[in-house]
Amino acid sequence: MRAISAPGQDRTPVLRRQPARVVNGEPEGGYTDAYEIICRDCGDDPGDDYRDIPPRLQHIRGPYWLTTGAAQYEAHLEWHEEQQLAKARLAPAVAMPTARSAALSLPC
Ligand SMILES: [Zn+2]
């Protein structure tokens, strides 16, 4: 299990021990018994304290117990893969509304 993102893998979500507090981007006061998911793709930053991030990101972070966190981590990775596939499937369709609206703008 990856605990901290390695260089070159910065976009990959990580599951880490939840710091008691993050001050100036650094964990402070040790760690809680809980785990949290940090997903940069979703806009999260490991240097932000849990209390300073929006509710959407707090929901992703958890915190979780280890087994739940590992399962949530896997689910989150799968969710991103599905988003990528959905985006790839939708890509050709993006041009459609433009073509249709052009057709609709023709004079009657
Ligand atoms: Zn994410």
Side-chain angles (χ1 to χ4, degrees):
M1 182 179 58
R2 273 187 299 262
I4 306 282
S5 62
Q9 298 180 318
D10 279 347
R11 306 292 304 173
T12 309
V14 293
L15 182 68
R16 71 174 185 185
R17 284 285 291 277
Q18 186 182 42
R21 186 137 183 82
V22 177
V23 179
N24 296 325
E26 296 294 326
E28 217 176 79
Y31 292 84
T32 70
D33 289 335
Y35 289 79
E36 61 185 9
I37 296 167
I38 309 291
C39 182
R40 284 179 182 267
D41 257 0
C42 287
D44 205 351
D45 187 319
D48 287 342
D49 188 84
Y50 183 85
R51 282 151 281 224
D52 298 332
I53 60 174
R56 182 179 68 86
L57 294 178
Q58 288 180 343
H59 180 74
I60 294 167
R61 276 201 190 188
Y64 310 99
W65 295 116
L66 179 57
T67 48
T68 315
Q72 288 294 322
Y73 177 81
E74 290 295 324
H76 195 78
L77 284 180
E78 281 173 25
W79 179 80
H80 271 292
E81 280 169 20
E82 282 167 21
Q83 296 298 305
Q84 289 287 359
L85 288 174
K87 210 190 283 180
R89 274 197 300 267
L90 285 175
V94 169
M96 292 293 284
T98 311
R100 203 182 310 135
S101 54
L104 289 172
S105 68
L106 290 172
C108 295

